[in-house]
Amino acid sequence: MSALAPLGRLGRAVLVALAHVGRVTLFALSALGHMVRPPFYPREIGHALMNVGWLSLPVVGLTAIFTGGALALQIYAGGARFNAEAVVPQIVAIGMVRELGPVLVGLMIAARVTSSIAAEIATMKVTEQIDALVTLSTHPMKYLAAPRVLAALITVPLLVGVGDVIGIAGGYAVAVQNLGFNPAAYLKNTVDFLEPLDLISSLVKGAAFGLIAAVMGCYFGMNSGRGAQGVGRATKGSVEAAAVLILAANFILTGVFFSV
Amino acid sequence: MTLPPDPGPDTAPMIRLEGVRKSFGPKHVLRGVDLAIPRGSSMVIIGGSGTGKSVALKCILGLITPDAGRIEVDGQETGTARGAERDAFLARFGMLFQGGALFDSLPVWQNVAFRLLRGALKRPQAEAREIAIKKLRRVGLSPDVADLFPAELSGGMQKRVGLARAIAAEPEIIFFDEPTTGLDPIMAGVINELIREIVVEMGATAMTITHDMTSVRAIADDVAMLHDGVIQWTGPVAKMDESGDPYLDQFIHGRAEGPIEAVR
Ligand SMILES: Nc1ncnc2c1ncn2[C@@H]1O[C@H](COP(=O)(O)OP(=O)(O)OP(=O)(O)O)[C@@H](O)[C@H]1O
Ligand SMILES: [Mg+2]
């Protein structure tokens, strides 16, 4: 019996994990369902668009510009080892658009948006504001989750697009200023090299990561424990889950789009 | 032989609880609560802190699912309704939460007019605001608090905003969870009168939780005392003083000694 105990524990852990996956999936489907069925709350959607999208622009821009710049320096230094310095524009473009743009924007959104959604909704739960919503005939999924998920689905792909462009601009600036590239040739190489699939994959990843980020924030917030400690746990858990799921989804989507 | 008069639908209780049980883990909070609240009357629930008074209210509203038992509102069993039916059920209720539960992202007037700004009862914004300000006046708040946020109000003011929100859509059934806690005696008097008015003038059915015996006498038609997970005593407020129930006596006189043990 004792020899099998670790196996039993493992089995239980797997069951618990599966139950979580099931609950999160149902939660996400419910949020999406409420998103497309009336009543709609335009004011809440407006707020969410503002918070998730517009106010995330500075952090996304800064992340992208530094990453693009560093990428150009690395590729130049690495490429120099086998006389391939000239590939900087192409690799920066592909690296930003296919991988770093979506992933870094996704992680920044997990840090900024998931945490704030989770903390806000968890606080509402702890202070009975969610119960109050229900007694006022307002469905919390519809009023709280649906607008945030919708806003993330719309704005995160746009943010990823902006991040891609700014990242490439960062690489361009470094390449032209410090590495002696010709500005016109750099841009031409970038544009010629990128294919529609690169851009499509970037935006699809953005939408997937946005969905993950918003759903995790709402899920952990609504299932928060009691008290300040409950809010803290919900917030921490939501960011961890969102970040890990974003990286896992990125791996899967890269496989779907680019494995030959 | 004459049959007893048919009670008819009007004398049927508005709210009826039968054998309602609820535990949180090993903690048995409600152990079979039976209670009937007649239509258009005011029931006050008293009982020690942590005996499950708030939990009982939340069970009726379906915010907490009881483990066992039956709850009927207006002859209909609750807890089975979904979607539009549940919305219609909830639209009959107003609830003042013990902690206020105001939406801190919305200014005071939008909290009060929440129901009037969206959903089935939606009205033009200006009209909703006017109603909100009228309700704020009724709970003793001046119109200049309308544009403040809940965090900018004192505890007692938040309580009263919660009260204004509970009565804003003129519901048939109103639950007040400790409406006068944290209020000065004069304001508590105003609120007691308001609750009485709502029951007498609007014919609403009210269920109030309070620890304040002055409030009990001012608000109640009937009193029920919750102790140890069951209704220990219930009856008209006039009979409260000669109930002969040692638990109730100890509670209403606030004695430290008696059958209810105070942990020290
Ligand atoms: N969601 C919950 N999870 C776990 N325990 C709970 C929950 N809600 C209430 N309880 C427990 O149930 C018991 C009754 O709580 P309730 O809030 O109903 O007390 P109360 O009678 O309203 O007390 P008070 O007069 O102090 O407001 C408490 O011991 C509380 O810890
Ligand atoms: Mg209580």
Side-chain angles (χ1 to χ4, degrees), chain B residues 157-258:
Chain B
M157 289 163 93
Q158 291 181 6
K159 201 55 176 266
R160 285 183 280 155
V161 173
L163 191 62
R165 182 174 70 183
I167 62 172
E170 315 203 333
E172 289 170 67
I173 308 166
I174 316 187
F175 292 168
F176 302 103
D177 198 341
E178 306 199 4
T180 56
T181 332
L183 302 186
D184 64 73
I186 298 171
M187 199 42 79
V190 170
I191 298 303
N192 289 338
E193 241 169 58
L194 170 69
I195 293 176
R196 203 55 229 171
E197 264 170 47
I198 288 169
V199 173
V200 174
E201 285 166 22
M202 290 160 45
T205 307
M207 210 169 156
T208 310
I209 296 174
T210 184
H211 292 295
D212 171 0
M213 294 315 293
T214 320
S215 261
V216 176
R217 291 173 206 281
I219 298 172
D221 291 317
D222 298 296
V223 178
M225 179 174 172
L226 189 62
H227 177 70
D228 233 358
V230 297
I231 299 295
Q232 172 73 27
W233 184 86
T234 179
V237 65
K239 299 241 174 80
M240 187 171 70
D241 290 305
E242 58 254 29
S243 67
D245 186 296
Y247 293 87
L248 182 65
D249 277 345
Q250 186 191 350
F251 193 87
I252 59 183
H253 296 113
R255 284 194 289 262
E257 268 73 48

Side-chain angles (χ1 to χ4, degrees), chain A residues 156-175:
Chain A
V156 178
L158 296 178
L159 288 170
V160 168
V162 169
D164 292 347
V165 171
I166 293 180
I168 290 174
Y172 167 86
V174 168

Side-chain angles (χ1 to χ4, degrees), chain A residues 101-127:
Chain A
V103 168
L104 290 176
V105 170
L107 292 179
M108 281 306 178
I109 293 296
R112 196 184 167 275
V113 174
T114 307
S115 62
S116 86
I117 291 178
E120 185 182 359
I121 295 183
T123 305
M124 290 186 74
K125 161 121 183 180
V126 167
T127 56

Side-chain angles (χ1 to χ4, degrees), chain A residues 16-260:
Chain A
V16 167
L18 282 179
H20 267 292
V21 171
R23 273 202 293 276
V24 171
T25 311
L26 287 181
F27 185 91
L29 289 176
S30 157
L32 291 171
H34 281 291
M35 204 172 80
V36 294
R37 271 178 290 135
F40 304 112
Y41 297 109
R43 230 186 66 108
E44 297 306 307
I45 296 172
H47 264 282
L49 286 171
M50 191 76 183
N51 280 330
V52 178
W54 183 247
L55 296 178
S56 296
L57 271 176
V59 73
V60 163
L62 288 170
T63 310
I65 200 157
F66 289 130
T67 307
L71 200 56
L73 289 176
Q74 281 291 11
I75 293 163
Y76 188 80
R81 294 191 204 154
F82 37 92
N83 293 326
E85 301 95 324
V87 296
V88 168
Q90 289 89 336
I91 307 285
V92 166
I94 220 171
M96 276 317 294
V97 173
R98 285 187 177 188
E99 287 297 323
L100 290 174
V103 168
L104 290 176
V105 170
L107 292 179
M108 281 306 178
I109 293 296
R112 196 184 167 275
V113 174
T114 307
S115 62
S116 86
I117 291 178
E120 185 182 359
I121 295 183
T123 305
M124 290 186 74
K125 161 121 183 180
V126 167
T127 56
E128 297 183 318
Q129 292 179 51
I130 300 218
D131 284 345
L133 269 184
V134 173
T135 64
L136 294 165
S137 309
T138 304
H139 203 300
M141 287 299 281
K142 214 178 244 329
Y143 184 77
L144 295 175
R148 287 166 172 79
V149 172
L150 177 66
L153 275 175
I154 294 172
T155 56
V156 178
L158 296 178
L159 288 170
V160 168
V162 169
D164 292 347
V165 171
I166 293 180
I168 290 174
Y172 167 86
V174 168
V176 170
Q177 291 292 318
N178 305 354
L179 309 175
F181 277 79
N182 173 297
Y186 190 103
L187 286 183
K188 185 169 179 341
N189 279 336
T190 301
V191 171
D192 287 349
F193 193 71
L194 282 176
E195 286 174 17
L197 185 66
D198 297 329
L199 297 174
I200 292 169
S201 78
S202 203
L203 300 183
V204 168
K205 282 181 174 182
F209 301 168
L211 179 69
I212 291 171
V215 165
M216 285 302 126
C218 296
Y219 177 79
F220 278 84
M222 293 217 186
N223 291 295
S224 155
R226 291 156 57 108
Q229 212 172 28
V231 176
R233 282 215 194 95
T235 308
K236 180 194 70 179
S238 72
V239 176
E240 280 172 359
V244 170
L245 284 177
I246 283 171
L247 292 173
N250 179 61
F251 175 66
I252 293 169
L253 286 172
T254 296
V256 169
F257 278 107
F258 300 110
S259 67
V260 273

